[in-house]
Amino acid sequence: MAGVSTAVVSYALNDRRGVSVATRERVLRVADELGWRPNPAARSMRAGAQAVGLAVVAGETLHGAPVLDVVAAFQRELLPRGLGVDLRVVADVAAAAELYRRWGAERRCDVVVVPEVRDDDVRLRVATDAGLRPVVVGPTEVAPGLAAVEVDDEDAYARVARYLASLGHVRIALVADPTDRLRTAACERGLRAATQDGTVALEIVPTDGTVEGAAGATRRLLTQAVRPTAVVLATDVMALAALDVARRTGLVVPWDVSVVAGADSVLCRLATPALTSLPSLATDLGEALARAVTGTLDAAAGDPPVRVPLAVGALAVRGSTSPQAH
Amino acid sequence: MAGVSTAVVSYALNDRRGVSVATRERVLRVADELGWRPNPAARSMRAGAQAVGLAVVAGETLHGAPVLDVVAAFQRELLPRGLGVDLRVVADVAAAAELYRRWGAERRCDVVVVPEVRDDDVRLRVATDAGLRPVVVGPTEVAPGLAAVEVDDEDAYARVARYLASLGHVRIALVADPTDRLRTAACERGLRAATQDGTVALEIVPTDGTVEGAAGATRRLLTQAVRPTAVVLATDVMALAALDVARRTGLVVPWDVSVVAGADSVLCRLATPALTSLPSLATDLGEALARAVTGTLDAAAGDPPVRVPLAVGALAVRGSTSPQAH
């Protein structure tokens, strides 16, 4: 319809040199009239990437933030590049690795986002072996040599410990996510670094990451002969469970025990008392991920991996924490 | 490597007739040795569907259930068919419609799931015009003529009204999701149908669906000269907000006012008092969706649309509701 060869059409549509302005405009006008759009299936056969793969283990968060909130910001940032996010919910890390193998074999994704990284995480090796480029989300210095968003959990939890110590708390406990996650280890390091002068006793209680696990751990902590006067919990829902346990144990929050949530949400604001919390990473993490992914796609061979640092903001102080009377 | 033509390889790999058992096995063995897998990009150029499209408006649920919980069950059921879910978070209904146009033009999806259907929902027309097959999630009789999961909200909310009436409540309020959603209208119809003998005064307060909107609506209801003695809220988080408002207003739940949540979750169980709730649809809805989608893909031309009914289970009665003294 444009009166030119298919090669000229291809040059015009792909904005390559060798076509006059007038011809290009005629081709684009005709394409528009025909409702023509590039077929990503056809394009991906030659060009590779069309979507960023994100496999989330069922029940897990994206570094403590609600998955869909992060994905909303991430997708918004990727949209101008025409990149989508292929989001899957999988049963466990092994299922994620199996999905990477398939994505690699089918050339369905180029970049995969790997959240909640474990010690010796099988996903990193499998993703690389499958020809995918992993972008890891984890604490500072996670997965050296790979692209990553580095969240400064250690600094954030050090600030929590210093805040509680400044209120006079000398027995602090952390009800933590599973210990095989690098994020959990970083949080623990932060608390330890800020309390290493020996004036504060620190107790770390790992859980399976469920609300029931957090409730059980908190109950054990609060019914000990010598109990902590401040408890930090990894997530908002865990912290709600801790408030419930304190109530049932006959302890008043914050007078008998202070409670801190590791990630803020509307639930922290609605709780009674409202929960002192580290901020939610949702939007910031989505944007940082987009920078890490687009940087990785744009990198030339031999460039160092893209590392995007992400600081955790200031603690929101609410009614669940108070000075501790000795 | 198998010593046969590409046509024979294609026949063998696609399990079509005209190839001997021995040849088929040889081709499959060689393909396996080579690590060959079907390329879905190539296949989709000819065959169409490879993923089910699901565009969720940011901040919305899937018929009151958390999106990722529904998607986890949905994906699990679709996996044996080799079908994935292409989940996108979009800003609004218009953005979802625009995405459908692109999916249709690019032949990227065949079936799209349309949740939280509105009056005169533009998405239904756009999806059909774009050559996609919509599977709608809504109340009974939603979108006649299209495939759907039909959730019996009307019956569920009628049971809530009868339960509250049986406790002696004569002034009941519903703090509702936005009124343009068909689901909201069905909930309202259920409450009205069960209270039409005139002994119960019913007040419906639509909101924008946010927790702030729910809190504001509840505050207005509870500070009226004649206030309701029972308030039903569309979601778990809205009901948490109502508990907070009651507390700040100096009202004791359930003695001064009973509170019911329209969808259960761990939050309802952790609240103080724990919230009487309709069950969460998450897993049931994911499975019903998978049946509707696979039924639609398997339907022959001229078959009636697949309609999968989904009943809402029994109310979980907890501490937030009690008999009302007149």
Side-chain angles (χ1 to χ4, degrees):
Chain A
M1 279 185 65
V4 297
S5 70
T6 52
V8 171
V9 170
S10 170
Y11 272 55
L13 291 173
N14 289 297
D15 212 20
R16 287 166 63 190
R17 261 174 282 183
V19 186
S20 74
V21 173
T23 304
R24 187 189 312 280
E25 283 179 356
R26 188 165 72 251
V27 169
L28 291 174
R29 198 181 59 242
V30 170
D32 192 51
E33 284 166 15
L34 292 171
W36 178 91
R37 307 220 187 186
N39 181 333
R43 181 173 273 181
S44 79
M45 287 185 68
R46 300 185 42 177
Q50 60 177 321
V52 177
L54 170 56
V56 175
V57 174
E60 292 191 0
T61 60
L62 275 185
H63 211 91
V67 174
L68 281 190
D69 293 352
V70 179
V71 169
F74 185 36
Q75 286 185 337
R76 196 166 50 235
E77 297 293 310
L78 290 180
L79 212 56
R81 304 263 305 209
L83 276 173
V85 178
D86 194 345
L87 172 60
R88 306 293 176 102
V89 182
V90 294
D92 49 30
V93 166
E98 181 51 35
L99 191 57
Y100 294 170
R101 284 194 196 93
R102 212 164 64 227
W103 278 341
E106 296 175 350
R107 295 171 187 237
R108 198 163 178 139
C109 295
D110 184 5
V111 169
V112 287
V113 173
V114 185
E116 298 293 323
V117 180
R118 274 71 162 170
D119 286 331
D120 279 326
D121 199 309
V122 65
R123 292 175 294 177
L124 302 183
R125 185 180 50 73
V126 169
T128 311
D129 288 354
L132 304 170
R133 286 187 278 180
V135 171
V136 176
V137 185
T140 308
E141 294 179 17
V142 67
L146 296 177
V149 173
E150 302 182 87
V151 183
D152 199 347
D153 301 301
E154 190 168 336
D155 175 65
Y157 273 73
R159 282 186 278 121
V160 169
R162 284 196 297 269
Y163 163 72
L164 290 172
S166 77
L167 292 177
H169 292 276
V170 293
R171 288 188 304 280
I172 299 176
L174 170 66
V175 175
D177 267 330
T179 42
D180 64 344
R181 316 241 177 116
L182 299 184
R183 178 163 68 89
T184 303
C187 298
E188 184 178 336
R189 274 199 309 277
L191 290 178
R192 288 205 188 283
T195 56
Q196 64 190 357
D197 64 359
T199 58
V200 173
L202 190 62
E203 188 168 1
I204 311 283
V205 188
T207 72
D208 58 0
T210 66
V211 65
E212 292 80 9
T218 308
R219 191 177 60 77
R220 281 189 298 279
L221 282 169
L222 296 186
T223 54
Q224 288 173 145
V226 180
R227 56 177 169 73
T229 59
V231 182
V232 183
L233 297 104
T235 69
D236 54 346
V237 181
M238 281 181 164
L240 276 185
L243 289 184
D244 187 57
V245 167
R247 210 148 29 216
R248 291 171 194 270
T249 318
L251 297 173
V252 176
V253 176
W255 301 330
D256 297 322
V257 60
S258 287
V259 176
V260 176
D264 203 356
S265 77
V266 66
L267 304 177
C268 294
R269 297 193 294 277
L270 286 177
T272 308
L275 285 157
T276 295
S277 309
L278 282 169
S280 165
L281 288 179
T283 306
D284 290 349
L285 180 52
E287 292 171 1
L289 260 177
R291 281 200 300 281
V293 166
T294 54
T296 299
L297 289 170
D298 294 341
D303 283 355
V306 179
R307 308 282 295 190
V308 177
L310 179 56
V312 179
L315 199 66
V317 174
R318 304 202 182 97
S320 69
T321 45
S322 72
Q324 176 59 23
H326 290 284
Chain B
M1 279 186 63
V4 295
S5 70
T6 53
V8 170
V9 170
S10 170
Y11 272 54
L13 292 173
N14 289 297
D15 212 18
R16 287 165 65 189
R17 261 175 284 182
V19 186
S20 74
V21 172
T23 304
R24 188 189 311 282
E25 284 179 354
R26 188 166 69 251
V27 170
L28 291 175
R29 198 184 56 243
V30 170
D32 193 50
E33 285 166 15
L34 292 171
W36 179 89
R37 306 220 188 187
N39 180 332
R43 181 174 272 179
S44 79
M45 288 186 68
R46 302 186 41 176
Q50 60 177 323
V52 177
L54 170 55
V56 175
V57 175
E60 291 192 1
T61 61
L62 275 185
H63 211 91
V67 173
L68 281 190
D69 294 351
V70 178
V71 168
F74 185 36
Q75 285 185 338
R76 196 166 51 232
E77 297 293 309
L78 290 180
L79 212 58
R81 304 262 307 207
L83 276 172
V85 178
D86 194 345
L87 173 59
R88 306 293 177 102
V89 182
V90 293
D92 50 29
V93 167
E98 181 51 34
L99 192 57
Y100 294 170
R101 283 195 195 92
R102 210 164 66 224
W103 277 341
E106 296 174 351
R107 297 173 185 234
R108 198 162 177 141
C109 293
D110 184 5
V111 169
V112 286
V113 172
V114 185
E116 298 292 323
V117 180
R118 274 68 163 172
D119 288 330
D120 280 326
D121 198 309
V122 65
R123 291 175 294 177
L124 302 183
R125 184 180 51 71
V126 169
T128 311
D129 287 355
L132 304 170
R133 287 186 280 181
V135 171
V136 176
V137 184
T140 308
E141 293 177 18
V142 67
L146 295 177
V149 173
E150 302 181 87
V151 183
D152 200 347
D153 301 301
E154 190 168 337
D155 176 64
Y157 273 73
R159 282 185 278 122
V160 169
R162 284 196 298 271
Y163 163 71
L164 291 172
S166 77
L167 293 178
H169 291 277
V170 294
R171 288 187 305 280
I172 299 175
L174 170 66
V175 175
D177 267 330
T179 43
D180 64 343
R181 315 240 177 118
L182 298 184
R183 178 163 68 90
T184 303
C187 299
E188 184 177 336
R189 274 200 308 280
L191 290 178
R192 289 205 188 282
T195 55
Q196 64 190 359
D197 63 0
T199 58
V200 173
L202 190 62
E203 189 169 0
I204 312 283
V205 188
T207 70
D208 58 359
T210 65
V211 65
E212 293 80 8
T218 306
R219 191 176 61 77
R220 282 189 298 278
L221 282 169
L222 296 185
T223 52
Q224 288 174 147
V226 180
R227 57 179 168 72
T229 60
V231 182
V232 183
L233 296 103
T235 69
D236 54 346
V237 181
M238 281 181 164
L240 277 186
L243 288 184
D244 186 57
V245 167
R247 211 152 23 219
R248 291 171 195 271
T249 319
L251 296 173
V252 176
V253 177
W255 302 331
D256 297 322
V257 60
S258 287
V259 176
V260 175
D264 204 357
S265 76
V266 65
L267 305 177
C268 295
R269 297 194 293 277
L270 287 177
T272 307
L275 284 158
T276 295
S277 310
L278 282 169
S280 164
L281 287 179
T283 307
D284 290 349
L285 180 52
E287 292 171 1
L289 259 177
R291 282 200 299 282
V293 166
T294 53
T296 299
L297 289 169
D298 294 340
D303 283 355
V306 180
R307 307 283 294 189
V308 177
L310 179 56
V312 180
L315 199 66
V317 174
R318 304 201 182 98
S320 69
T321 46
S322 73
Q324 176 59 22
H326 289 282

